[in-house]
Amino acid sequence: MCCEIKRRFLLLYATQKGQAKAIAEEISEQADAHGFEADIHCINESDKYNLATEKDPIVIVISTTGTGDPPDTARKFVKEIKNKTLPADHFAHLRYGLLGLGDSEYMFFCNGGKIVDKRLQELGAHHFYETGLADDCVGLELVVEPWIDGLWLALRREFTSRNRKEDISNNLRAVSNGVSVMTVDPNMSGASSLDSKIQHLKLEDLEVKASDALSERADNVNSVVSVQDTEPSLDQSVPPLSQSVLNIPALPPEYIVVQFQDSIGQEPSLSSLVSDSTTFHVPVTKAVQLTREDAVKTALLLELDISKTTFCYQPGDAFCVICPNNVSEVQELLHILGLSEKKKCFVCLKIKETTKKKGAARPQHIPEGSTVEFILTWCLEIRAIPKKAFLRALVEYTSDAREKRRLQELCSKQGASDYNNFIRDFNVCLLDLLHAFPTCRPPLNLLIEHLPKLQARSYSASSSSLFQPGKLQFVFNVVEFPSSPSRLVSRKGVCTGWLAELVVPMLQPHKNSLHTKEGKSLAVKVSIYARPVNTFHLPSDPSVPFMMVGPGTGISPFIGFLQHKQKLQEEHTDWKFGETWLFFGCRHQNRDYLFRDELKSFVENGTLTHLKVCFSRDPPAATEKAPTKYVQDNIRLCAKEVARVLLKEKGCFYVCGDAKHMAKDVNDTLVDILSTDAGVDKLEAMKILATLRQEKRYLQDIWA
């Protein structure tokens, strides 16, 4: 019997933190069982594919970064396809399907994918499969899994359509040559009709049954599962799920072999963790608590000494801090996995010769010569929420039948709700799973294969090098994760918790002012590197007016803005400077009013023209005619001034802080103000705001 010829499609991914790559690799793994061959590449590997001559279907998986930008790996690709000299039919020969990844807590949801999707269509490309937009806010898998399931039917139809077109073309050529051909069924003849049907293929119309090769029935362990609780939990299910036949993912092929070697020499430097930027190891010279002890959140300011480095920045720039996992969590993980005695051993990683994983490669984020402890401390995101493929792999290393069954449920289609309720919603990590399932003991290679890279954390500079040469300050809230039914211990943020603990010996108590002396030299150092691209900067023309919105720690970059402007005013008394506005808000005036003395000083010396503050948890003052709780309330009260600065004086508007609520509310308020002032409906006002964004006059630095 002849082997079936695999039908090729081009699979491109553009990733920032690895999720798009992982999903593309999952598509590639599944393709073989469906009779396809995925030619997979990162979208920036333009030397390995050519869209100008591509004839096969294309599948694109692309994430979104920042406030709606394509990931760094797609920057060159997007620049090339945005070339205005390209003709409208440049990609008319392309047929593609696109899966975008994003987070609906950000205003420009899945914008990276939308930018590429829109531009490809402008250049004549056509969908063979409807675009999918997956939301990390509620769970990427809610869209990703059915989108992948439907992809195989769409590809089969695409190849069928192409074959029919070729047959029709061949028949026409035969007729023109005087050769008799069979009559084509009129119901099948319209290639354009078939194209139309494929073009309007909807995910909800797909009735795709998972291939046996990609779906396994869970072991029948119902006989040993006795439901004692009426409520489900992380480690316990109830009917009907506990009695259901399950469809679980295919077992991901293992591809890494771990060899332990006696420790010799030194561990890798932290600079080896960053491949595309220069890393600087700099001392912390000041640490100040900006909030009172009874504040809801603890805000800290850290000052770094960069005077002996080549690190440079502008006010508004962001930079990255390389941080480790929590020491106690790493030690606990080593103990549970039986690796405590090997933690100082060097790890040699090799690709398993018999692996079935396509394109298996050694992880680039694990430097050569790493010890077990170094890998778990600096390389792997051990707090990452386990993906279903990881849960499926953990089943094979769990000995108790009930625990195996529950892990199977959590990674199954039938258990999707439980996965969200007990793992995703509570930020459950590997350590939590190992506590909940005590007989689960995965080997180190499984962690390396399934845990993502530990990402450096990004912070905005809250200082000006012109105002404070050789210094770099930044502000952050210490993130708190309370305990939950799925996780019995509370935790602090990976980086903020580490930084807070690091500076305890030098931490100065709550101050309204930053005019404090530097801390004692305690050899406390952190590793940082600059972020490659940023547009969140002051106007190049100092006469341009600008408005700033920064509640809570969102005020951080604006302190740098104002320091910079103050210094420029002192040095250039003959320059004309535009007016400046700051809308600040916090919960309590006496507990978390950050930089109060600095702001007062900026107003007094004329650096800050207008300061509007509000306190959401304090009772309104008796003298207030129109009490305000949030920054958008004060913006609305200053509607005429906002419209004047933005529309008449061509000023800039900056927003920094929470993406989930504040940024959206401020955006809606601006739409209302522009709509009223310009006398247009909200849709037109949204277009005006979009134009301001394109002109880099409406800028955001926001986070979830």
Side-chain angles (χ1 to χ4, degrees):
M1 182 176 177
C2 294
C3 295
E4 181 184 356
I5 298 176
K6 302 291 184 182
R7 291 165 291 183
R8 173 192 174 274
F9 66 93
L10 178 62
L11 176 56
L12 302 177
Y13 64 86
T15 190
Q16 187 71 21
K17 296 184 177 180
Q19 292 202 96
K21 180 182 179 182
I23 291 170
E25 289 177 341
E26 174 66 19
I27 293 173
S28 179
E29 295 291 342
Q30 292 191 25
D32 186 66
H34 286 282
F36 299 103
E37 178 185 359
D39 185 9
I40 181 172
H41 302 288
C42 180
I43 206 165
N44 66 358
E45 298 176 319
S46 55
D47 58 322
K48 297 180 180 179
Y49 67 91
N50 187 355
L51 294 189
T53 59
E54 184 60 54
K55 296 180 180 179
D56 291 327
I58 303 170
V59 175
I60 302 171
V61 184
I62 178 171
S63 62
T64 297
T65 189
T67 56
D69 301 316
D72 293 343
T73 52
R75 192 180 302 145
K76 180 181 177 183
F77 175 83
V78 171
K79 183 178 179 181
E80 289 174 351
I81 65 174
K82 280 191 171 182
N83 186 339
K84 294 182 179 180
T85 64
L86 296 177
D89 62 349
H90 184 69
F91 287 144
H93 60 288
L94 294 184
R95 307 273 295 175
Y96 75 99
L98 185 143
L99 175 62
L101 312 181
D103 188 330
S104 61
E105 289 191 347
Y106 289 85
M107 190 179 308
F108 295 95
F109 171 61
C110 282
N111 202 49
K114 290 176 180 177
I115 288 172
V116 172
D117 197 13
K118 179 182 178 183
R119 186 55 181 156
L120 289 178
Q121 296 218 26
E122 288 174 348
L123 294 174
H126 296 281
H127 288 129
F128 76 84
Y129 186 37
E130 184 169 291
T131 295
L133 301 177
D135 186 0
D136 200 28
C137 181
V138 297
L140 293 174
E141 68 280 353
L142 295 181
V143 169
V144 170
E145 290 178 2
W147 193 89
I148 294 176
D149 285 345
L151 174 63
W152 313 121
L153 175 59
L155 279 169
R156 283 195 290 272
R157 290 186 177 181
E158 173 63 16
F159 279 106
T160 300
S161 170
R162 188 167 70 175
N163 291 339
R164 285 175 182 154
K165 289 178 181 178
E166 290 176 356
D167 289 343
I168 292 171
S169 178
N170 291 336
N171 288 341
L172 290 173
R173 280 197 296 270
V175 169
S176 66
N177 293 330
V179 180
S180 175
V181 296
M182 293 179 61
T183 303
V184 180
D185 184 341
N187 294 323
M188 304 288 287
S189 63
S192 60
S193 175
L194 184 59
D195 286 345
S196 177
K197 291 179 181 179
I198 296 172
Q199 179 71 21
H200 293 92
L201 184 63
K202 302 288 184 182
L203 286 177
E204 58 266 28
D205 296 333
L206 298 174
E207 297 177 357
V208 183
K209 294 183 178 180
S211 165
D212 290 341
L214 299 172
S215 175
E216 304 173 6
R217 288 195 172 188
D219 297 335
N220 187 4
V221 294
N222 289 333
S223 58
V224 297
V225 177
S226 58
V227 180
Q228 298 175 344
D229 302 320
T230 56
E231 293 295 327
S233 63
L234 176 61
D235 60 352
Q236 177 71 60
S237 68
V238 298
L241 179 59
S242 62
Q243 298 171 352
S244 299
V245 174
L246 304 175
N247 294 96
I248 63 176
L251 181 64
E254 295 185 22
Y255 64 96
I256 288 178
V257 176
V258 172
Q259 296 177 343
F260 299 102
Q261 301 174 346
D262 291 338
S263 176
I264 49 172
Q266 292 184 334
E267 290 184 335
S269 66
L270 297 186
S271 60
S272 65
L273 299 173
V274 183
S275 60
D276 54 355
S277 299
T278 303
T279 304
F280 302 93
H281 199 50
V282 295
V284 181
T285 53
K286 183 189 292 185
V288 182
Q289 183 169 322
L290 301 180
T291 50
R292 267 185 9 188
E293 292 296 333
D294 56 352
V296 175
K297 295 181 179 180
T298 299
L300 302 181
L301 175 138
L302 268 58
E303 181 180 88
L304 309 179
D305 182 359
I306 59 172
S307 60
K308 297 179 181 179
T309 73
T310 58
F311 184 93
C312 58
Y313 70 98
Q314 296 182 53
D317 274 348
F319 64 97
C320 293
V321 176
I322 300 175
C323 60
N325 287 308
N326 180 273
V327 174
S328 62
E329 291 174 30
V330 170
Q331 297 306 315
E332 188 175 5
L333 197 54
L334 287 166
H335 174 71
I336 292 175
L337 299 179
L339 293 171
S340 294
E341 294 183 359
K342 295 182 178 180
K343 65 181 182 181
K344 295 300 182 182
C345 290
F346 281 120
V347 173
C348 179
L349 302 180
K350 296 184 177 180
I351 301 302
K352 192 174 182 179
E353 291 183 1
T354 58
T355 186
K356 295 182 179 179
K357 181 178 176 63
K358 292 184 177 181
R362 187 185 183 283
Q364 296 299 307
H365 56 276
I366 300 180
E368 295 279 357
S370 297
T371 63
V372 175
E373 190 174 40
F374 185 88
I375 290 173
L376 293 180
T377 302
W378 294 99
C379 303
L380 302 180
E381 188 92 56
I382 64 174
R383 288 268 194 93
I385 298 173
K387 297 185 182 298
K388 292 184 179 181
F390 192 14
L391 298 182
R392 175 64 187 89
L394 292 175
V395 171
E396 304 304 304
Y397 293 94
T398 305
S399 57
D400 181 81
R402 295 182 184 182
E403 293 179 15
K404 288 174 74 81
R405 166 71 190 194
R406 184 55 176 156
L407 286 170
Q408 289 170 335
E409 291 171 351
L410 290 169
C411 70
S412 70
K413 290 186 177 181
Q414 291 79 4
S417 178
D418 277 17
Y419 175 84
N420 285 330
N421 292 338
F422 303 116
I423 293 182
R424 180 181 173 78
D425 291 352
F426 288 114
N427 292 303
V428 163
C429 65
L430 173 63
L431 201 53
D432 301 320
L433 288 179
L434 297 179
H435 284 305
F437 303 96
T439 69
C440 180
R441 292 293 179 268
L444 181 60
N445 72 285
L446 212 67
L447 275 61
I448 294 172
E449 291 172 5
H450 288 276
L451 290 176
K453 174 185 177 181
L454 177 58
Q455 299 285 340
R457 271 43 175 185
S458 178
Y459 296 95
S460 298
S462 58
S463 55
S464 163
S465 58
L466 185 65
F467 188 86
Q468 294 177 292
K471 304 294 183 184
L472 171 62
Q473 294 183 343
F474 65 106
V475 176
F476 59 89
N477 284 324
V478 180
V479 179
E480 303 273 356
F481 297 103
S483 60
S484 69
S486 294
R487 186 186 63 249
L488 300 180
V489 296
S490 61
R491 294 191 178 116
K492 288 182 168 61
V494 173
C495 191
T496 61
W498 170 66
L499 289 172
E501 186 176 345
L502 191 69
V503 301
V504 165
M506 62 189 302
L507 185 64
Q508 300 177 37
H510 165 62
K511 300 282 185 181
N512 282 331
S513 172
L514 297 185
H515 301 303
T516 55
K517 62 182 180 181
E518 291 186 359
K520 296 179 181 178
S521 178
L522 297 173
V524 174
K525 291 188 175 183
V526 297
S527 294
I528 64 172
Y529 62 91
R531 287 189 62 178
V533 177
N534 191 19
T535 58
F536 199 81
H537 293 149
L538 283 164
S540 56
D541 181 354
S543 67
V544 172
F546 60 92
M547 293 180 154
M548 303 166 284
V549 181
T553 56
I555 194 176
S556 179
F558 302 134
I559 296 299
F561 278 20
L562 294 169
Q563 287 180 353
H564 199 78
K565 185 186 176 189
Q566 177 179 324
K567 195 66 177 177
L568 287 177
Q569 288 184 161
E570 292 171 355
E571 294 180 351
H572 303 279
T573 55
D574 57 331
W575 285 12
K576 178 184 177 182
F577 291 89
E579 63 180 303
T580 51
W581 292 69
L582 175 64
F583 297 91
F584 174 77
C586 60
R587 289 178 175 83
H588 301 282
Q589 182 173 5
N590 295 322
R591 299 183 196 178
D592 51 6
Y593 188 168
L594 309 184
F595 300 104
R596 181 194 301 185
D597 290 352
E598 279 71 25
L599 295 177
K600 180 181 178 183
S601 177
F602 287 137
V603 171
E604 290 174 348
N605 65 30
T607 303
L608 181 59
T609 317
H610 304 279
L611 174 62
K612 304 295 180 181
V613 297
C614 54
F615 310 102
S616 61
R617 305 290 173 84
D618 285 343
T623 56
E624 281 190 275
K625 295 182 180 179
T628 56
K629 290 183 66 175
Y630 304 110
V631 286
Q632 60 267 25
D633 298 331
N634 272 328
I635 294 172
R636 203 175 292 276
L637 288 178
C638 300
K640 290 184 178 179
E641 289 81 1
V642 171
R644 170 180 58 81
V645 168
L646 287 179
L647 300 181
K648 295 180 181 178
E649 300 182 11
K650 305 298 181 182
C652 297
F653 197 94
Y654 300 88
V655 181
C656 182
D658 167 50
K660 187 174 184 179
H661 300 297
M662 183 276 297
K664 289 183 177 179
D665 291 339
V666 168
N667 189 82
D668 292 344
T669 302
L670 287 177
V671 169
D672 290 342
I673 290 172
L674 296 177
S675 173
T676 301
D677 185 82
V680 297
D681 60 24
K682 288 190 175 183
L683 180 59
E684 287 301 316
M686 291 170 68
K687 291 180 180 178
I688 295 173
L689 207 55
T691 300
L692 294 177
R693 183 181 297 277
Q694 290 177 345
E695 295 173 350
K696 301 291 189 292
R697 294 201 292 121
Y698 177 33
L699 296 159
Q700 294 177 310
D701 180 5
I702 57 178
W703 57 83

